[in-house]
């Protein structure tokens, strides 16, 4: 359920999952539902609260996937690496699935949201197969190409580990900026805002 929600929320979508009271839908046919277990109910509340708190980053009308324009060896403008875990622009078992979206905030200023979906510990990416516990990719090293004299504002949040956006410290290395970001539990967002973007 968490990986399904991470996939949907990171694409600006939601799904019909929760029914009335303590019920969760388990089939497109609404009659088929189960009572929600305590741990599942807590996870759903935590993740839906997270999606509401960050709705302007996740569900804006003009969201665009810009992964191919910014990340990877040919572009190298925004990316993240882990010491012992690969990242990938598509969902591959054993990696951190990295996507970057662009949204327009107040005053028409673009900001970027990097979605990090933790697929370490998984044997496959079948949507309807049982999942293993998530592995630990360790902290990530964020790398940004510097485009202005003033530094951007970078922060992260995670529905399982850090519900509110927390700023990270940037260091300068020539044309690039670096920051250390904690490992994603199952899904983490890293928000990159130009220095003049209002909050």
């Amino acid at each position: 359920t968490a990986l399904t929600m991470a996939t949907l929320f990171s694409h600006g979508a939601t799904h019909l999952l929760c029914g009335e009271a303590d019920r969760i839908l388990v089939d497109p046919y609404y009659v088929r539902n189960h009572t929600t277990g305590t741990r599942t109910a807590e996870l759903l509340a935590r993740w839906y609260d997270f999606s509401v708190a960050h709705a302007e980053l996740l569900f804006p009308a003009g969201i665009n996937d810009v992964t191919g324009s910014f990340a990877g060896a040919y572009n190298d403008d925004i990316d993240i690496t882990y010491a012992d875990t690969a990242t990938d622009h598509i969902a591959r078992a054993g990696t951190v699935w990295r996507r970057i979206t662009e949204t327009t905030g107040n005053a028409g200023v673009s900001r970027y949201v990097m979605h990090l979906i933790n697929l370490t510990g998984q044997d496959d990416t079948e949507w309807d197969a049982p999942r293993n516990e998530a592995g630990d990719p360790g902290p990530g090293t964020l790398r940004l190409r510097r485009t202005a004299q003033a530094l951007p504002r970078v922060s992260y949040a995670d529905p399982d580990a850090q519900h509110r956006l927390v700023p990270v410290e940037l260091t300068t290395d020539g044309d690039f900026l670096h920051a250390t970001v904690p490992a994603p539990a199952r899904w983490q967002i890293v928000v990159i805002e130009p220095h003049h973007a209002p909050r």
Side-chain angles (χ1 to χ4, degrees):
T1 298
L3 289 177
T4 299
M5 288 192 293
T7 301
L8 290 167
F9 293 168
S10 70
H11 283 77
T14 60
H15 59 167
L16 185 56
L17 178 65
C18 299
E20 295 178 1
D22 60 354
R23 294 290 172 162
I24 189 169
L25 304 178
V26 295
D27 191 270
Y29 185 52
Y30 295 165
V31 173
R32 298 188 181 114
N33 61 80
H34 289 171
T35 302
T36 308
T38 302
R39 286 182 59 217
T40 302
E42 291 170 353
L43 179 141
L44 291 171
R46 197 167 61 243
W47 280 60
Y48 278 111
D49 284 349
F50 185 87
S51 72
V52 171
H54 303 293
E56 67 176 19
L57 299 171
L58 303 175
F59 310 119
I63 193 168
N64 294 303
D65 185 323
V66 294
T67 308
S69 300
F70 286 90
Y74 294 108
N75 299 306
D76 201 28
D77 289 333
I78 302 174
D79 217 339
I80 194 165
T81 55
Y82 298 89
D84 299 314
T85 303
T87 59
D88 208 320
H89 66 284
I90 61 174
R92 288 192 197 277
T95 70
V96 173
W97 180 17
R98 179 250 298 120
R99 299 185 64 252
I100 303 169
T101 59
E102 181 182 18
T103 66
T104 302
N106 295 332
V109 177
S110 291
R111 57 189 166 190
Y112 304 97
V113 181
M114 178 181 283
H115 299 271
L116 302 165
I117 300 176
N118 184 6
L119 300 178
T120 61
Q122 305 307 321
D123 301 317
D124 58 60
T125 55
E126 300 295 324
W127 73 271
D128 57 352
R131 295 288 106 220
N132 300 324
E133 289 293 324
D136 181 4
T141 300
L142 182 69
R143 176 179 154 117
L144 309 171
R145 188 179 299 276
R146 190 166 185 171
T147 58
Q149 188 65 28
L151 298 182
R153 185 167 37 217
V154 178
S155 52
Y156 74 93
D158 184 318
D160 288 319
Q162 174 55 53
H163 200 264
R164 296 186 184 277
L165 287 168
V166 173
V168 297
E169 184 177 344
L170 295 169
T171 59
T172 304
D173 180 14
D175 292 335
F176 288 90
L177 304 169
H178 297 271
T180 300
V181 180
R186 283 173 280 208
W187 170 48
Q188 179 184 76
I189 60 172
V190 177
V191 182
I192 302 158
E193 302 174 277
H195 69 282
H196 55 283
R199 274 248 162 136

